[in-house]
Protein backbone atom coordinates (compact mmCIF):
# COMPACT_ATOMS: atom_id res chain seq x y z
CA UNK A 1 0.00 0.00 0.00
CA UNK A 2 1.31 3.43 -0.97
CA UNK A 3 0.11 6.81 0.21
CA UNK A 4 0.04 9.74 -2.14
CA UNK A 5 -0.07 13.41 -1.30
CA UNK A 6 -3.38 15.09 -2.06
CA UNK A 7 -1.32 18.13 -3.14
CA UNK A 8 0.86 16.18 -5.51
CA UNK A 9 -0.33 12.67 -6.42
CA UNK A 10 3.06 11.69 -7.86
CA UNK A 11 4.60 12.00 -4.37
CA UNK A 12 4.17 8.50 -2.89
CA UNK A 13 5.48 6.86 0.27
CA UNK A 14 4.82 3.66 2.23
CA UNK A 15 3.00 3.39 5.57
CA UNK A 16 6.16 3.78 7.59
CA UNK A 17 7.27 7.00 5.92
CA UNK A 18 3.76 8.43 5.93
CA UNK A 19 3.56 7.92 9.73
CA UNK A 20 7.06 9.25 10.37
CA UNK A 21 6.61 12.28 8.09
CA UNK A 22 3.11 13.14 9.34
CA UNK A 23 2.44 15.24 6.27
CA UNK A 24 3.76 15.46 2.72
CA UNK A 25 5.68 18.55 1.50
CA UNK A 26 3.70 21.78 1.23
CA UNK A 27 1.20 20.59 3.84
CA UNK A 28 -0.03 17.72 1.65
CA UNK A 29 -2.33 15.20 3.31
CA UNK A 30 -1.48 11.55 2.76
CA UNK A 31 -4.22 9.43 1.22
CA UNK A 32 -4.19 5.73 0.24
CA UNK A 33 -3.41 5.24 -3.44
CA UNK A 34 -6.18 2.70 -3.52
CA UNK A 35 -8.84 2.26 -0.89
CA UNK A 36 -8.84 -1.37 0.26
CA UNK A 37 -12.06 -3.36 0.24
CA UNK A 38 -13.02 -5.20 3.42
CA UNK A 39 -13.86 -8.83 2.52
CA UNK A 40 -17.54 -9.66 2.23
CA UNK A 41 -17.38 -12.50 4.81
CA UNK A 42 -16.33 -9.97 7.44
CA UNK A 43 -18.85 -7.29 6.50
CA UNK A 44 -21.70 -9.78 6.49
CA UNK A 45 -20.74 -11.39 9.81
CA UNK A 46 -19.38 -8.47 11.82
CA UNK A 47 -20.84 -9.64 15.13
CA UNK A 48 -19.11 -13.03 14.93
CA UNK A 49 -15.66 -11.39 15.22
CA UNK A 50 -14.00 -10.00 18.33
CA UNK A 51 -13.09 -6.32 18.30
CA UNK A 52 -9.39 -7.27 18.16
CA UNK A 53 -9.97 -9.40 15.05
CA UNK A 54 -11.99 -6.67 13.36
CA UNK A 55 -9.38 -4.05 14.18
CA UNK A 56 -6.62 -6.26 12.76
CA UNK A 57 -8.53 -7.05 9.56
CA UNK A 58 -9.31 -3.38 8.88
CA UNK A 59 -5.80 -2.17 9.61
CA UNK A 60 -3.78 -4.86 7.84
CA UNK A 61 -4.29 -3.67 4.21
CA UNK A 62 -3.38 -0.11 5.22
CA UNK A 63 -0.13 -1.26 6.83
CA UNK A 64 0.80 -3.87 4.22
CA UNK A 65 4.06 -5.69 4.90
CA UNK A 66 5.56 -2.82 6.89
CA UNK A 67 4.62 -4.44 10.22
CA UNK A 68 4.53 -8.24 10.57
CA UNK A 69 1.12 -9.75 11.35
CA UNK A 70 1.91 -10.90 14.88
CA UNK A 71 3.24 -7.50 15.91
CA UNK A 72 0.28 -5.76 14.29
CA UNK A 73 -2.14 -8.05 16.14
CA UNK A 74 -0.46 -7.14 19.41
CA UNK A 75 -0.55 -3.41 18.56
CA UNK A 76 -4.27 -3.33 17.76
CA UNK A 77 -5.10 -5.54 20.75
CA UNK A 78 -3.46 -3.04 23.11
CA UNK A 79 -5.06 -0.15 21.22
CA UNK A 80 -8.66 -1.30 21.77
CA UNK A 81 -8.43 -2.87 25.23
CA UNK A 82 -11.49 -1.11 26.65
CA UNK A 83 -15.24 -1.00 25.96
CA UNK A 84 -17.14 0.82 23.21
CA UNK A 85 -20.76 0.46 24.33
CA UNK A 86 -23.75 1.42 22.18
CA UNK A 87 -26.43 2.87 24.47
CA UNK A 88 -30.07 3.36 23.38
CA UNK A 89 -31.36 6.86 24.25
CA UNK A 90 -34.83 6.40 22.70
CA UNK A 91 -36.30 4.21 19.91
CA UNK A 92 -34.37 5.94 17.14
CA UNK A 93 -31.30 7.45 18.81
CA UNK A 94 -28.23 5.60 20.15
CA UNK A 95 -25.01 6.89 21.72
CA UNK A 96 -21.72 5.17 20.88
CA UNK A 97 -19.57 5.84 23.94
CA UNK A 98 -15.95 6.37 22.96
CA UNK A 99 -14.78 7.61 26.36
CA UNK A 100 -13.92 4.42 28.22
CA UNK A 101 -10.21 4.69 27.45
CA UNK A 102 -7.58 5.82 29.97
CA UNK A 103 -8.07 9.59 29.52
CA UNK A 104 -11.81 9.61 28.81
CA UNK A 105 -11.41 10.97 25.26
CA UNK A 106 -12.00 9.22 21.95
CA UNK A 107 -8.52 10.40 20.99
CA UNK A 108 -7.14 7.59 23.17
CA UNK A 109 -7.57 5.10 20.30
CA UNK A 110 -5.64 7.11 17.71
CA UNK A 111 -2.93 8.05 20.21
CA UNK A 112 -2.51 4.46 21.45
CA UNK A 113 -2.22 3.10 17.93
CA UNK A 114 0.25 5.81 16.89
CA UNK A 115 2.44 5.31 19.98
CA UNK A 116 2.67 1.56 19.47
CA UNK A 117 3.39 1.86 15.77
CA UNK A 118 6.15 4.40 16.47
CA UNK A 119 7.54 2.21 19.21
CA UNK A 120 7.72 -0.65 16.71
CA UNK A 121 9.52 1.59 14.19
CA UNK A 122 11.91 2.95 16.82
CA UNK A 123 13.15 -0.54 17.69
CA UNK A 124 14.96 -0.93 14.40
CA UNK A 125 16.33 2.59 14.12
CA UNK A 126 19.03 3.80 16.44
CA UNK A 127 17.72 7.33 16.44
CA UNK A 128 15.48 8.45 19.22
CA UNK A 129 12.09 9.81 18.09
CA UNK A 130 10.80 13.10 19.50
CA UNK A 131 7.06 13.71 19.50
CA UNK A 132 6.19 17.38 19.65
CA UNK A 133 2.58 18.38 20.17
CA UNK A 134 0.62 21.51 21.04
CA UNK A 135 -2.66 20.92 22.82
CA UNK A 136 -5.63 22.90 24.03
CA UNK A 137 -6.39 20.02 26.42
CA UNK A 138 -7.65 16.66 25.15
CA UNK A 139 -5.04 15.57 22.61
CA UNK A 140 -2.15 16.16 25.00
CA UNK A 141 -3.61 13.95 27.74
CA UNK A 142 -4.28 11.09 25.35
CA UNK A 143 -0.79 11.41 23.87
CA UNK A 144 0.87 11.53 27.32
CA UNK A 145 -0.89 8.38 28.46
CA UNK A 146 -0.31 6.52 25.20
CA UNK A 147 3.44 7.25 25.02
CA UNK A 148 4.29 6.95 28.72
CA UNK A 149 7.33 4.67 29.16
CA UNK A 150 7.67 3.96 25.45
CA UNK A 151 11.43 3.98 25.55
CA UNK A 152 13.26 5.53 22.63
CA UNK A 153 10.47 8.11 22.25
CA UNK A 154 10.58 11.50 23.98
CA UNK A 155 7.37 13.49 24.13
CA UNK A 156 7.05 17.27 24.55
CA UNK A 157 3.55 18.59 25.14
CA UNK A 158 3.02 22.34 24.96
CA UNK A 159 -0.12 23.66 26.57
CA UNK A 160 -1.36 27.18 27.43
CA UNK A 161 -0.98 27.95 31.13
CA UNK A 162 -4.28 28.59 32.93
CA UNK A 163 -6.36 27.65 29.88
CA UNK A 164 -6.88 23.93 30.46
CA UNK A 165 -9.21 22.47 33.10
CA UNK A 166 -7.82 21.25 36.43
CA UNK A 167 -8.32 17.60 35.46
CA UNK A 168 -6.67 18.18 32.08
CA UNK A 169 -3.75 19.90 33.81
CA UNK A 170 -3.23 16.88 36.03
CA UNK A 171 -3.59 14.53 33.05
CA UNK A 172 -0.90 16.45 31.18
CA UNK A 173 1.59 16.83 34.00
CA UNK A 174 1.34 13.70 36.17
CA UNK A 175 3.42 11.30 34.06
CA UNK A 176 7.04 12.47 34.02
CA UNK A 177 9.86 10.21 32.73
CA UNK A 178 9.74 10.45 28.91
CA UNK A 179 6.73 12.80 28.97
CA UNK A 180 7.69 16.48 29.24
CA UNK A 181 4.87 18.92 29.95
CA UNK A 182 5.76 22.45 28.90
CA UNK A 183 3.40 25.01 30.38
CA UNK A 184 3.46 28.03 28.10
CA UNK A 185 2.58 31.50 29.43
CA UNK A 186 0.46 32.26 26.38
CA UNK A 187 -2.37 30.97 24.23
CA UNK A 188 -2.94 27.70 22.34
CA UNK A 189 -1.96 29.55 19.15
CA UNK A 190 1.39 30.47 20.75
CA UNK A 191 1.94 26.77 21.53
CA UNK A 192 1.10 25.80 17.96
CA UNK A 193 3.44 28.45 16.58
CA UNK A 194 6.35 27.22 18.69
CA UNK A 195 5.79 23.64 17.52
CA UNK A 196 5.56 24.73 13.92
CA UNK A 197 8.77 26.74 14.21
CA UNK A 198 10.59 23.68 15.56
CA UNK A 199 9.29 21.48 12.73
CA UNK A 200 10.50 24.07 10.19
CA UNK A 201 13.92 24.60 11.82
CA UNK A 202 16.45 22.92 9.51
CA UNK A 203 19.30 23.03 12.02
CA UNK A 204 17.21 21.58 14.83
CA UNK A 205 15.96 18.79 12.55
CA UNK A 206 19.55 17.56 12.16
CA UNK A 207 19.61 16.86 15.88
CA UNK A 208 16.06 15.58 16.45
CA UNK A 209 13.82 13.21 14.53
CA UNK A 210 10.57 15.09 15.12
CA UNK A 211 7.21 13.35 14.83
CA UNK A 212 3.87 15.08 14.73
CA UNK A 213 1.04 13.48 16.71
CA UNK A 214 -1.74 15.67 15.38
CA UNK A 215 -4.90 14.40 13.74
CA UNK A 216 -3.56 14.40 10.19
CA UNK A 217 -1.13 11.58 10.98
CA UNK A 218 -2.43 8.55 9.07
CA UNK A 219 -1.84 6.27 12.06
CA UNK A 220 -4.49 8.24 13.92
CA UNK A 221 -6.76 8.43 10.90
CA UNK A 222 -6.70 4.74 9.93
CA UNK A 223 -7.27 3.51 13.49
CA UNK A 224 -10.28 5.78 14.06
CA UNK A 225 -12.19 3.62 11.57
CA UNK A 226 -12.52 1.04 14.35
CA UNK A 227 -15.38 2.91 16.04
CA UNK A 228 -17.63 2.60 13.03
CA UNK A 229 -17.12 -1.14 12.66
CA UNK A 230 -17.66 -1.63 16.41
CA UNK A 231 -20.88 0.41 16.16
CA UNK A 232 -22.19 -1.75 13.32
CA UNK A 233 -21.29 -4.93 15.25
CA UNK A 234 -23.76 -3.88 17.93
CA UNK A 235 -26.41 -2.22 15.78
CA UNK A 236 -29.72 -4.04 16.50
CA UNK A 237 -31.71 -2.96 13.42
CA UNK A 238 -31.79 -4.08 9.80
CA UNK A 239 -31.71 -0.63 8.28
CA UNK A 240 -28.17 0.85 8.52
CA UNK A 241 -27.73 3.72 11.01
CA UNK A 242 -27.23 7.36 10.16
CA UNK A 243 -24.07 8.44 11.99
CA UNK A 244 -23.55 11.85 13.59
CA UNK A 245 -19.97 12.82 14.42
CA UNK A 246 -19.11 15.80 16.66
CA UNK A 247 -16.54 17.48 14.43
CA UNK A 248 -13.63 19.89 14.72
CA UNK A 249 -10.57 19.07 12.65
CA UNK A 250 -12.68 16.47 10.78
CA UNK A 251 -10.26 13.62 11.58
CA UNK A 252 -12.95 11.43 13.09
CA UNK A 253 -15.59 11.95 10.41
CA UNK A 254 -13.06 11.43 7.63
CA UNK A 255 -12.25 8.06 9.27
CA UNK A 256 -15.96 7.22 9.20
CA UNK A 257 -16.16 8.12 5.53
CA UNK A 258 -13.05 6.03 4.90
CA UNK A 259 -14.67 3.05 6.66
CA UNK A 260 -17.70 3.51 4.46
CA UNK A 261 -15.56 3.67 1.32
CA UNK A 262 -13.96 0.32 2.30
CA UNK A 263 -17.43 -1.25 2.26
CA UNK A 264 -18.98 -0.71 5.70
CA UNK A 265 -22.72 -0.31 5.31
CA UNK A 266 -23.94 2.80 7.08
CA UNK A 267 -26.56 5.42 6.34
CA UNK A 268 -25.66 9.05 5.76
CA UNK A 269 -22.96 10.77 7.78
CA UNK A 270 -23.63 14.01 9.63
CA UNK A 271 -20.83 16.40 10.60
CA UNK A 272 -22.12 17.93 13.84
CA UNK A 273 -20.48 21.32 14.36
CA UNK A 274 -20.60 24.07 16.96
CA UNK A 275 -20.35 27.68 15.84
CA UNK A 276 -17.13 26.81 14.03
CA UNK A 277 -18.87 25.70 10.88
CA UNK A 278 -16.62 26.02 7.84
CA UNK A 279 -17.82 22.58 6.66
CA UNK A 280 -21.52 23.30 7.29
CA UNK A 281 -21.18 26.46 5.21
CA UNK A 282 -19.25 24.66 2.49
CA UNK A 283 -21.96 22.01 2.08
CA UNK A 284 -24.54 24.79 1.76
CA UNK A 285 -22.68 27.16 -0.53
CA UNK A 286 -20.02 25.06 -2.29
CA UNK A 287 -17.35 27.49 -1.09
CA UNK A 288 -14.80 26.51 1.57
CA UNK A 289 -13.83 29.50 3.68
CA UNK A 290 -11.62 29.00 6.74
CA UNK A 291 -12.69 31.30 9.57
CA UNK A 292 -11.35 32.72 12.80
CA UNK A 293 -11.94 30.26 15.62
CA UNK A 294 -14.98 30.99 17.81
CA UNK A 295 -14.85 29.95 21.49
CA UNK A 296 -17.65 27.57 22.56
CA UNK A 297 -18.44 25.11 25.37
CA UNK A 298 -17.46 22.18 23.11
CA UNK A 299 -13.92 23.52 22.91
CA UNK A 300 -12.25 20.46 21.36
CA UNK A 301 -14.32 21.31 18.27
CA UNK A 302 -13.27 24.96 18.17
CA UNK A 303 -11.48 24.80 14.83
CA UNK A 304 -11.92 27.53 12.23
CA UNK A 305 -9.82 25.89 9.52
CA UNK A 306 -10.26 22.11 9.77
CA UNK A 307 -7.09 20.36 8.64
CA UNK A 308 -8.73 17.17 7.31
CA UNK A 309 -11.15 18.98 4.98
CA UNK A 310 -9.51 17.69 1.79
CA UNK A 311 -9.65 14.11 3.07
CA UNK A 312 -13.38 14.42 3.61
CA UNK A 313 -13.86 15.58 0.02
CA UNK A 314 -11.56 12.87 -1.35
CA UNK A 315 -13.39 10.12 0.58
CA UNK A 316 -16.70 11.29 -0.86
CA UNK A 317 -15.23 11.20 -4.38
CA UNK A 318 -13.76 7.73 -3.91
CA UNK A 319 -16.81 6.08 -2.37
CA UNK A 320 -18.58 3.82 -4.86
CA UNK A 321 -21.62 3.73 -2.55
CA UNK A 322 -21.89 7.52 -2.78
CA UNK A 323 -22.10 8.47 0.86
CA UNK A 324 -24.42 11.24 1.78
CA UNK A 325 -22.83 13.90 3.96
CA UNK A 326 -24.85 16.55 5.75
CA UNK A 327 -23.76 19.06 8.34
CA UNK A 328 -25.56 21.13 10.96
CA UNK A 329 -24.24 23.72 13.39
CA UNK A 330 -25.50 24.58 16.90
CA UNK A 331 -24.83 27.30 19.46
CA UNK A 332 -23.56 26.76 23.00
CA UNK A 333 -27.01 27.74 24.30
CA UNK A 334 -28.69 25.01 22.22
CA UNK A 335 -26.05 22.56 23.39
CA UNK A 336 -26.71 23.32 27.07
CA UNK A 337 -30.46 22.92 26.55
CA UNK A 338 -29.90 19.53 24.90
CA UNK A 339 -27.73 18.32 27.81
CA UNK A 340 -30.46 19.33 30.22
CA UNK A 341 -33.44 17.88 28.35
CA UNK A 342 -31.80 14.52 27.59
CA UNK A 343 -30.67 14.29 31.21
CA UNK A 344 -34.20 14.96 32.49
CA UNK A 345 -36.19 13.01 29.90
CA UNK A 346 -33.91 10.11 29.03
CA UNK A 347 -31.74 9.92 32.17
CA UNK A 348 -28.62 10.12 30.05
CA UNK A 349 -25.80 12.58 30.68
CA UNK A 350 -24.08 13.90 27.55
CA UNK A 351 -20.86 15.88 27.44
CA UNK A 352 -20.89 19.17 25.45
CA UNK A 353 -19.32 17.53 22.35
CA UNK A 354 -21.61 14.51 22.25
CA UNK A 355 -24.54 16.88 22.78
CA UNK A 356 -23.78 18.66 19.50
CA UNK A 357 -23.76 15.22 17.84
CA UNK A 358 -27.12 14.44 19.43
CA UNK A 359 -28.65 17.72 18.23
CA UNK A 360 -27.48 17.15 14.65
CA UNK A 361 -28.87 13.60 14.61
CA UNK A 362 -32.19 14.78 16.02
CA UNK A 363 -32.44 17.49 13.36
CA UNK A 364 -31.65 14.98 10.60
CA UNK A 365 -34.25 12.50 11.86
CA UNK A 366 -36.93 15.22 11.86
CA UNK A 367 -36.73 15.36 8.07
CA UNK A 368 -36.12 11.60 7.65
CA UNK A 369 -38.93 9.92 9.58
CA UNK A 370 -38.40 6.18 9.97
CA UNK A 371 -34.57 6.50 10.05
CA UNK A 372 -32.56 5.61 13.12
CA UNK A 373 -29.07 6.69 14.04
CA UNK A 374 -26.04 6.87 16.27
CA UNK A 375 -24.23 9.90 17.66
CA UNK A 376 -20.69 9.54 18.95
CA UNK A 377 -20.08 10.44 22.59
CA UNK A 378 -16.49 11.64 22.22
CA UNK A 379 -15.60 12.58 25.81
CA UNK A 380 -16.58 11.65 29.34
CA UNK A 381 -18.90 14.30 30.86
CA UNK A 382 -16.75 14.37 34.02
CA UNK A 383 -14.04 16.10 32.00
CA UNK A 384 -16.36 19.11 31.75
CA UNK A 385 -17.88 19.26 35.22
CA UNK A 386 -17.53 23.07 35.30
CA UNK A 387 -19.96 23.26 32.36
CA UNK A 388 -22.22 20.35 33.34
CA UNK A 389 -22.65 21.18 37.04
CA UNK A 390 -24.72 24.36 36.53
CA UNK A 391 -26.88 22.67 33.87
CA UNK A 392 -27.93 19.61 35.88
CA UNK A 393 -27.36 20.90 39.39
CA UNK A 394 -24.79 18.31 40.42
CA UNK A 395 -21.28 17.16 39.60
CA UNK A 396 -20.99 14.32 37.06
CA UNK A 397 -19.69 11.09 38.61
CA UNK A 398 -15.96 10.62 38.29
CA UNK A 399 -15.16 7.42 36.37
CA UNK A 400 -12.75 5.00 38.01
CA UNK A 401 -10.08 5.40 35.35
CA UNK A 402 -9.61 9.03 36.47
CA UNK A 403 -8.86 8.12 40.07
CA UNK A 404 -5.30 7.18 39.19
CA UNK A 405 -4.45 10.80 38.36
CA UNK A 406 -2.53 12.10 41.29
CA UNK A 407 -2.24 15.87 41.48
CA UNK A 408 0.68 15.62 43.88
CA UNK A 409 2.79 14.04 41.12
CA UNK A 410 2.23 17.03 38.86
CA UNK A 411 5.33 18.50 37.31
CA UNK A 412 5.64 20.89 34.41
CA UNK A 413 8.31 23.17 33.07
CA UNK A 414 7.08 26.72 32.70
CA UNK A 415 8.21 28.65 29.65
CA UNK A 416 7.48 32.00 28.02
CA UNK A 417 6.08 31.82 24.47
CA UNK A 418 9.55 32.35 22.99
CA UNK A 419 11.30 29.98 20.63
CA UNK A 420 14.60 30.35 22.52
CA UNK A 421 12.91 29.05 25.64
CA UNK A 422 11.52 26.01 23.84
CA UNK A 423 15.00 25.25 22.50
CA UNK A 424 16.46 25.35 26.01
CA UNK A 425 13.98 22.72 27.15
CA UNK A 426 14.47 20.22 24.34
CA UNK A 427 17.17 17.74 25.19
C1 LIG B 1 -11.00 16.21 19.13
C2 LIG B 1 -12.38 16.11 19.61
C3 LIG B 1 -13.49 16.24 18.72
C4 LIG B 1 -13.32 16.58 17.26
O1 LIG B 1 -12.74 15.55 16.51
P1 LIG B 1 -12.06 15.86 15.10
O2 LIG B 1 -11.46 14.57 14.69
O3 LIG B 1 -11.04 16.93 15.36
O4 LIG B 1 -13.14 16.33 14.18
C5 LIG B 1 -14.76 16.06 19.24
N1 LIG B 1 -14.96 15.80 20.55
C6 LIG B 1 -13.93 15.68 21.42
C7 LIG B 1 -14.22 15.42 22.85
C8 LIG B 1 -12.61 15.83 20.97
O5 LIG B 1 -11.61 15.72 21.86
Amino acid sequence: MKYLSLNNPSFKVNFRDAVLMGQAPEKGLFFPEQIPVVPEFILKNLNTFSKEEIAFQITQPFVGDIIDSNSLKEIVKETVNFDFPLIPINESVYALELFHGPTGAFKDVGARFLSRVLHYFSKDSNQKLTVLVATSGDTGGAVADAFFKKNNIDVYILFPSGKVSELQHTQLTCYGENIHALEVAGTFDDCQMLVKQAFDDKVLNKKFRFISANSINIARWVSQQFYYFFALQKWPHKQPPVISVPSGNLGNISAGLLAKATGLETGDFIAACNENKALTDYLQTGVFKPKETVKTISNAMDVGNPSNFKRVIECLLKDKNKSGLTSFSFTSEETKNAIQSVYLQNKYLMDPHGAVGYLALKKYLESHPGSKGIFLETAHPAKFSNIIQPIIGREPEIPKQFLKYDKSNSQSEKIKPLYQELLQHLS
Side-chain angles (χ1 to χ4, degrees):
M1 161 77 77
K2 291 267 194 234
Y3 293 85
L4 49 77
S5 166
L6 287 180
N7 274 358
N8 170 10
S10 62
F11 186 89
K12 290 179 194 169
V13 297
N14 66 18
F15 178 76
R16 181 191 162 99
D17 290 337
V19 172
L20 291 172
M21 290 174 71
Q23 61 180 331
E26 264 107 64
K27 302 205 176 114
L29 293 176
F30 286 120
F31 199 88
E33 190 173 29
Q34 248 174 353
I35 294 184
V37 177
V38 179
E40 199 73 357
F41 77 95
I42 299 176
L43 292 172
K44 291 280 175 263
N45 303 292
L46 275 180
N47 55 7
T48 64
F49 293 89
S50 68
K51 61 179 194 284
E52 293 81 8
E53 284 166 336
I54 295 272
F56 172 74
Q57 293 286 351
I58 307 164
T59 316
Q60 212 288 321
F62 285 92
V63 174
D65 55 8
I66 300 294
I67 299 178
D68 68 89
S69 291
N70 284 338
S71 304
L72 186 61
K73 278 184 185 153
E74 195 51 39
I75 289 172
V76 297
K77 187 171 152 206
E78 287 179 20
T79 301
V80 300
N81 71 345
F82 45 86
D83 291 335
F84 300 82
L86 184 67
I87 310 288
I89 308 299
N90 60 40
E91 328 62 270
S92 48
V93 173
Y94 291 70
L96 181 71
E97 292 185 349
L98 302 179
F99 54 68
H100 295 272
T103 75
F106 85 92
K107 292 189 173 75
D108 280 327
V109 165
R112 290 167 75 76
F113 184 71
L114 174 66
S115 67
R116 282 152 179 88
V117 165
L118 286 175
H119 186 59
Y120 177 90
F121 291 159
S122 76
K123 281 190 229 161
D124 51 32
S125 86
N126 21 18
Q127 194 179 18
K128 212 172 194 179
L129 302 178
T130 303
V131 171
L132 205 52
V133 66
T135 184
S136 54
D138 260 11
T139 305
V143 165
D145 188 87
F147 282 86
F148 182 49
K149 291 195 174 178
K150 294 275 173 276
N151 50 23
N152 240 2
I153 308 180
D154 264 332
V155 178
Y156 291 87
I157 301 173
L158 284 72
F159 67 96
S161 184
K163 298 200 171 61
V164 301
S165 74
E166 192 180 320
L167 177 68
Q168 283 174 331
H169 189 274
T170 311
Q171 283 182 331
L172 290 165
T173 56
C174 70
Y175 289 91
E177 300 200 29
N178 64 327
I179 310 294
H180 308 269
L182 301 184
E183 185 160 354
V184 179
T187 62
F188 171 58
D189 288 336
D190 292 326
C191 299
Q192 257 185 324
M193 236 157 52
L194 291 174
V195 167
K196 196 172 166 300
Q197 209 171 342
F199 275 106
D200 291 343
D201 184 332
K202 294 219 165 61
V203 178
L204 198 65
N205 278 272
K206 292 211 166 80
K207 190 166 160 213
F208 294 98
R209 182 73 177 88
F210 285 128
I211 307 287
S212 156
N214 64 16
S215 83
I216 62 175
N217 195 301
I218 56 156
R220 281 185 60 181
W221 184 40
V222 165
S223 55
Q224 287 186 14
Q225 293 180 92
F226 299 165
Y227 316 136
Y228 302 93
F229 285 85
F230 297 165
L232 265 287
Q233 279 192 301
K234 298 180 175 134
W235 182 243
H237 305 284
K238 257 210 154 62
Q239 185 191 11
V242 178
I243 302 184
S244 174
V245 185
S247 294
N249 255 323
L250 308 177
N252 199 356
I253 194 160
S254 63
L257 294 169
L258 180 62
K260 187 158 191 201
T262 67
L264 186 70
E265 251 186 79
T266 72
D268 286 347
F269 272 86
I270 310 167
C273 298
N274 60 26
E275 282 143 291
N276 297 279
K277 56 188 181 74
L279 181 67
T280 319
D281 290 347
Y282 166 79
L283 291 173
Q284 254 169 26
T285 63
V287 184
F288 182 66
K289 259 210 228 122
K291 310 233 166 65
E292 284 284 305
T293 302
V294 181
K295 215 170 141 42
T296 76
I297 60 165
S298 44
N299 66 349
M301 291 153 56
D302 291 352
V303 182
N305 185 9
S307 45
N308 287 287
F309 174 73
K310 285 194 180 150
R311 266 188 191 141
V312 167
I313 301 304
E314 193 68 13
C315 284
L316 293 174
L317 284 174
K318 289 285 152 64
D319 183 3
K320 292 191 300 297
N321 309 316
K322 290 289 159 234
S323 305
L325 175 66
T326 322
S327 177
F328 300 116
S329 141
F330 298 92
T331 63
S332 290
E333 212 43 49
E334 291 170 308
T335 310
K336 286 183 193 167
N337 291 338
I339 294 173
Q340 187 171 56
S341 74
V342 170
Y343 177 70
L344 294 175
Q345 284 165 27
N346 309 91
K347 311 275 176 283
Y348 186 76
L349 183 57
M350 305 187 293
D351 95 286
H353 305 77
V356 176
Y358 165 83
L359 280 167
L361 177 58
K362 184 160 160 268
K363 184 155 176 175
Y364 178 98
L365 294 178
E366 278 162 14
S367 57
H368 295 78
S371 293
K372 296 179 198 296
I374 296 171
F375 68 94
L376 306 189
E377 241 309 350
T378 47
H380 197 289
K383 295 187 86 162
F384 306 96
S385 52
N386 58 328
I387 296 165
I388 306 272
Q389 201 278 337
I391 301 175
I392 66 166
R394 67 164 178 85
E395 296 279 340
E397 274 129 49
I398 306 290
K400 61 177 183 316
Q401 78 261 36
F402 289 3
L403 300 176
K404 68 165 188 254
Y405 296 116
D406 184 355
K407 221 163 84 176
S408 62
N409 284 344
S410 244
Q411 42 179 312
S412 66
E413 299 162 44
K414 298 198 171 51
I415 68 169
K416 294 199 192 86
L418 299 172
Y419 190 53
Q420 278 313 319
E421 295 222 356
L422 173 63
L423 290 182
Q424 282 162 15
H425 283 82
L426 295 176
S427 57

